[in-house]
Amino acid sequence: MKIHTEAGERHVLAVTVDNEAGILAKITGLFSARGYNIESLTVADISADHALSRITIVTSGPPAVIDQIIAQLDRLVPVHSVTDLADGGAHVEREIALVKVAGSGDKRIEALRMADVFRAKVVDTTLSSFIFEITGTSDKVDRFIALMRECGLVEVGRTGVVAIARGSEAV
Amino acid sequence: MTEMSGADMVVQALVDLGVDTVFGYPGGAVLPIYDALFKHPTIKHILVRHEQAATHAAEGYARSTGKPGVVLVTSGPGATNAVTGITDALLDSIPMVVLTGQVPTTLIGTDAFQECDTVGITRHCTKHNYLVMDPDRLGPILHEAFYIATHGRPGPVVIDIPKNVQVATGTYSIPNRIDHKSYRPQVDPDADAIAQAVAMIAASERPIFYTGGGVINAGPDASAALRQLVELTGAPVTSTLMGLGAFPADDDKWLGMLGMHGTYEANMAMNRADLIIAVGARFDDRVTGRLDAFSPNSKKIHIDIDRSSINKIVPVDLAVVGDAGRALDALIAAWADKGHKARDLGEWWRRLDGWRATRCLDFPEKKEDAAEIMPQRAVKALFDATRGMDPIITTEVGQHQMWAAQHFHFDSPNRWLTSGGLGTMGYGFPAAVGAQIAHPDRLVICIAGEASLQMNIQEMGTVAQYRLPVKIFILNNQWMGMVRQWQELTYESRYSNSYSDSLPDFVKLADAYGWTGLRIDTLGELADGIQTMINTPGPVIVDCRVAQLANCFPMIPSGAAHTDMILQPNDIVGTMDDEAKALV
């Protein structure tokens, strides 16, 4: 017998929650307990009184599973709202990566040239290394990192995706 | 406001919330609360013999009264022992508040004596949980916890209270009104959805009501509303295991329970219906059978208070989010408003009666006095003997549970207490304890299997201590019968570890605890034995020896459709493939 899995589509969820102890464990535990995917997850406090946090979750699944994820998140007591950013039309997604590249000679020059093409900033340098800061969609960050592998990539740190809907309305 | 200790605040909050009974077991980290409860004038503490039993007793109390059950246990093993009952309450939507002691805040995280991460362990088996770090928060948190446990879809809430928070003093405060900032369950159904639902029901030629525990949770008025709506529409009713009692079993619209061990007529009706009206039921795998063959030609309306239950398993045509009782009331009002009359469902009822004619719950048996007792007969005899006594029936989990569901009939809600979702062996006896505490003068019977009963048999001590007249009726076939049945169906009768070896002598055990013990061996002794049980004051355990190898039918084998029921043992053919074996 083989175990079958269904193909899914990528969704970005914005979840507003009470900024309380254990909330992240509650959210991530829900995903692991019910077998949902987390491709990336970011969380930070977003209100002036530090009472609310916004969690941005990139997940994937068939439409029925995405609906379930939203309903399951929404019924958690500390969850205020769940928005599927793909649902509300266009949205903006950004991710930051810090990319450390070590080397000398042509590879070093090539790394700097490509960083310029990608509009990555140099935030630290030594005679034998750069740290680039790159901001963009996950795809763009992926492509930049792939190129840097050829130019002496030694370390990467990524934030995961934050996203917000276009237009004047709040979620 | 005067200062008071955290422990006193806990007790004060329980008083203010109308709690009269707490099921619990003391220990180091909860001693301050136990001291505050010492000789308390209004709160009765029931000392169980194991914390799991405290949670099931609280469930029995809750299910039989509609009020939340309250549990008090210590840190570490006290909390972990409670986890099974907490999870049981989560899956069966039972309102429960569990107070756990915790090591002092200064020791949290140090692997202190009897420390465990209670909020971590219970995070995913509670509706919500709290760790209280400040005594001033105790009042608001307790009140909020009861609100959450009882509003929306009910469930268990854990409050973990470190010992120094119980000892420290602070100000007790009560929120004026619980206006939770994020938890606001939708209880009133959407009017447009109701209008649509009524139109669908009025247009249906083959409708069926499929109701569940949500109707029971919505209170007795919801059961009354269900009866009224069924009367108005003329449609048949089936119910899940958890929903038994919401609709009277002697009504001619009643088709019996549906699902794996449901009736042939209920399952065939679900399969052939053109409209399913699901009320407070969640399309559990035990109900649907093979999903791609589940009711293929019907439109489906799903009324549920939990939006995440809708479209979780079976996609539906119309979702109605709201309290089952309010939704049923709204349907009745809208039905009258539109001036609908019950349609002529004669053709549908002719087909239903045709399926009924299979008499799927009949079972082969010998009739002479010396014959062995068929377990189904034992349940029927128990039902006949207690008619008119309005008993509360609890069960353990297994074959006896299904036979009880099939052959014991209920005409009112809150009389049938069973572990449906989690299927917890060891539930029934402590649940009977909780129900008996809540209803001291009622006849409370736990229909048990000899294997399940042993999982919490230590509670015989609790019953003796509080002089509870609980009756345990064991269908003793000396097997973990349901396990053995599956081994017969799936594993060519290789009975791996399913024999109940080394059973105690239950009559002597009864004697040891100061109970009355009876043994029934033959059909001729059955009726008298049951009468003796009923007439004997105080707790009674009946060791009713039944046919050892009887199996529970009808049955939808795992991986099969509603239309592929095994009606009798000789219907079993062939072996099961791996796809079917892999299903639970």
Side-chain angles (χ1 to χ4, degrees), chain A residues 32-108:
Chain A
S32 63
R34 294 187 183 267
Y36 306 144
N37 296 315
I38 298 181
E39 289 180 6
S40 106
L41 184 149
T42 66
V43 55
D45 157 14
I46 52 157
S47 61
D49 59 358
H50 308 292
L52 289 180
S53 288
R54 176 165 168 135
I55 302 179
T56 309
I57 304 171
V58 181
T59 184
S60 63
V65 171
I66 300 293
D67 284 350
Q68 255 307 290
I69 293 174
I70 293 168
Q72 291 290 350
L73 285 170
D74 203 32
R75 75 179 185 144
L76 296 179
V77 170
V79 169
H80 290 246
S81 69
V82 186
T83 312
D84 183 351
L85 289 171
D87 253 10
H91 66 279
V92 181
E93 274 181 53
R94 286 295 179 269
E95 182 174 4
I96 296 178
L98 295 174
V99 180
K100 186 183 282 186
V101 178
S104 55
D106 286 351
K107 283 200 169 173
R108 183 171 162 83

Side-chain angles (χ1 to χ4, degrees), chain B residues 253-580:
Chain B
K253 302 283 193 303
W254 174 244
L255 298 182
M257 182 173 76
L258 84 166
M260 185 172 273
H261 291 290
T263 64
Y264 183 70
E265 50 270 34
N267 287 329
M268 287 302 290
M270 287 293 279
N271 185 267
R272 300 287 196 257
D274 69 354
L275 178 69
I276 288 175
I277 309 123
V279 190
R282 60 182 176 87
F283 296 89
D284 178 80
D285 55 80
R286 284 293 181 276
V287 157
T288 60
R290 203 177 89 212
L291 268 177
D292 60 10
F294 175 73
S295 194
N297 301 313
S298 63
K299 295 240 187 261
K300 297 169 188 79
I301 301 170
H302 192 177
I303 299 168
D304 205 290
I305 198 157
D306 181 357
R307 178 163 77 93
S308 75
S309 284
I310 298 174
N311 292 323
K312 181 171 67 174
I313 314 276
V314 171
V316 298
D317 301 277
L318 178 64
V320 182
V321 178
D323 172 79
R326 294 197 195 194
L328 289 166
D329 287 343
L331 287 172
I332 292 165
W335 182 272
D337 231 32
K338 291 275 175 204
H340 287 303
K341 295 272 175 289
R343 240 182 123 103
D344 175 15
L345 301 176
E347 178 52 30
W348 182 222
W349 276 105
R350 270 187 290 283
R351 293 175 73 184
L352 295 166
D353 286 338
W355 295 319
R356 277 174 166 167
T358 59
R359 303 190 54 84
C360 67
L361 294 179
D362 284 358
F363 52 93
E365 66 177 335
K366 295 199 176 75
K367 302 279 190 189
E368 60 268 27
D369 277 1
E372 63 179 3
I373 300 167
M374 291 302 285
Q376 300 92 321
R377 174 60 54 201
V379 173
K380 285 172 90 76
L382 194 61
F383 172 63
D384 288 337
T386 57
R387 238 180 240 237
M389 303 172 81
D390 199 17
I392 295 172
I393 302 295
T394 76
T395 75
E396 302 287 348
V397 169
Q399 284 182 325
H400 70 276
Q401 176 190 31
M402 293 299 114
W403 282 316
Q406 291 172 340
H407 297 282
F408 208 103
H409 304 302
F410 298 89
D411 53 17
S412 312
N414 307 102
R415 270 80 174 159
W416 166 248
L417 320 180
T418 196
S419 171
L422 195 63
T424 309
M425 292 171 71
Y427 164 90
F429 176 28
V433 171
Q436 189 81 75
I437 293 283
H439 305 276
D441 301 323
R442 291 271 290 279
L443 177 61
V444 179
I445 305 172
C446 169
I447 299 178
E450 83 290 339
S452 282
L453 177 63
Q454 291 183 85
M455 286 214 183
N456 269 319
I457 200 161
Q458 75 287 343
E459 296 308 310
M460 290 180 76
T462 307
V463 167
Q465 178 177 349
Y466 297 98
R467 297 184 172 79
L468 304 174
V470 168
K471 318 296 182 198
I472 299 178
F473 191 84
I474 310 172
L475 300 183
N476 185 349
N477 63 358
Q478 300 178 50
W479 287 92
M480 292 161 215
M482 194 59 92
V483 173
R484 193 210 57 222
Q485 178 166 344
W486 278 57
Q487 288 171 335
E488 285 175 20
L489 291 173
T490 319
Y491 296 99
E492 293 155 330
S493 300
R494 289 186 294 278
Y495 296 147
S496 182
N497 293 281
S498 52
Y499 183 64
S500 288
D501 211 326
S502 306
L503 284 174
D505 180 329
F506 288 107
V507 175
K508 282 187 180 158
L509 191 65
D511 195 39
Y513 275 105
W515 289 40
T516 304
L518 300 171
R519 181 164 157 161
I520 301 174
D521 284 293
T522 61
L523 189 58
E525 299 166 9
L526 182 61
D528 283 354
I530 289 171
Q531 268 319 317
T532 309
M533 175 189 84
I534 294 168
N535 295 337
T536 304
V540 182
I541 193 163
V542 179
D543 182 3
C544 181
R545 298 299 176 113
V546 297
Q548 289 203 11
L549 299 181
N551 280 339
C552 187
F553 295 105
M555 177 180 188
I556 303 174
S558 64
H562 276 171
T563 46
D564 298 330
M565 291 201 90
I566 301 173
L567 292 176
Q568 293 298 335
N570 50 13
D571 290 351
I572 299 167
V573 283
T575 53
M576 218 173 257
D577 64 16
D578 282 354
E579 299 281 348

Side-chain angles (χ1 to χ4, degrees), chain B residues 64-391:
Chain B
S64 65
T65 61
K67 296 193 287 183
V70 182
V71 175
L72 175 59
V73 295
T74 194
S75 64
T80 57
N81 279 344
V83 164
T84 300
I86 294 169
T87 312
D88 193 274
L90 182 72
L91 283 196
D92 284 344
S93 309
I94 308 293
M96 181 158 90
V97 175
V98 181
L99 306 167
T100 55
Q102 181 55 280
V103 301
T105 54
T106 48
L107 288 180
I108 286 179
T110 65
D111 301 322
F113 178 64
Q114 293 194 328
E115 180 185 3
C116 73
D117 176 13
T118 301
V119 285
I121 289 169
T122 61
R123 187 167 285 130
H124 303 293
C125 62
T126 51
K127 186 172 172 186
H128 195 45
N129 65 11
Y130 302 87
L131 171 63
V132 189
M133 300 293 277
D134 171 2
D136 285 350
R137 294 282 305 138
L138 277 167
I141 284 177
L142 265 117
H143 284 264
E144 185 179 287
F146 274 75
Y147 174 85
I148 288 172
T150 53
H151 284 71
R153 181 176 178 176
V157 177
V158 164
I159 309 173
D160 198 28
I161 311 173
K163 195 172 183 183
N164 56 345
V165 174
Q166 299 170 35
V167 175
T169 55
T171 309
Y172 173 67
S173 61
I174 309 174
N176 285 332
R177 189 167 68 90
I178 303 280
D179 191 9
H180 198 275
K181 49 194 185 305
S182 56
Y183 186 68
R184 289 178 185 174
Q186 182 180 344
V187 290
D188 286 313
D190 176 62
D192 289 345
I194 291 293
Q196 243 181 297
V198 163
M200 287 165 78
I201 297 170
S204 165
E205 293 172 352
R206 301 186 306 281
I208 182 169
F209 285 96
Y210 149 52
T211 66
V215 180
I216 312 265
N217 274 336
D221 290 350
S223 295
L226 174 65
R227 290 155 202 225
Q228 201 186 336
L229 186 60
V230 168
E231 187 63 41
L232 288 173
T233 58
V237 188
T238 183
S239 149
T240 66
L241 181 72
M242 294 309 293
L244 296 177
F247 193 80
D250 58 3
D251 194 290
D252 62 359
K253 302 283 193 303
W254 174 244
L255 298 182
M257 182 173 76
L258 84 166
M260 185 172 273
H261 291 290
T263 64
Y264 183 70
E265 50 270 34
N267 287 329
M268 287 302 290
M270 287 293 279
N271 185 267
R272 300 287 196 257
D274 69 354
L275 178 69
I276 288 175
I277 309 123
V279 190
R282 60 182 176 87
F283 296 89
D284 178 80
D285 55 80
R286 284 293 181 276
V287 157
T288 60
R290 203 177 89 212
L291 268 177
D292 60 10
F294 175 73
S295 194
N297 301 313
S298 63
K299 295 240 187 261
K300 297 169 188 79
I301 301 170
H302 192 177
I303 299 168
D304 205 290
I305 198 157
D306 181 357
R307 178 163 77 93
S308 75
S309 284
I310 298 174
N311 292 323
K312 181 171 67 174
I313 314 276
V314 171
V316 298
D317 301 277
L318 178 64
V320 182
V321 178
D323 172 79
R326 294 197 195 194
L328 289 166
D329 287 343
L331 287 172
I332 292 165
W335 182 272
D337 231 32
K338 291 275 175 204
H340 287 303
K341 295 272 175 289
R343 240 182 123 103
D344 175 15
L345 301 176
E347 178 52 30
W348 182 222
W349 276 105
R350 270 187 290 283
R351 293 175 73 184
L352 295 166
D353 286 338
W355 295 319
R356 277 174 166 167
T358 59
R359 303 190 54 84
C360 67
L361 294 179
D362 284 358
F363 52 93
E365 66 177 335
K366 295 199 176 75
K367 302 279 190 189
E368 60 268 27
D369 277 1
E372 63 179 3
I373 300 167
M374 291 302 285
Q376 300 92 321
R377 174 60 54 201
V379 173
K380 285 172 90 76
L382 194 61
F383 172 63
D384 288 337
T386 57
R387 238 180 240 237
M389 303 172 81
D390 199 17

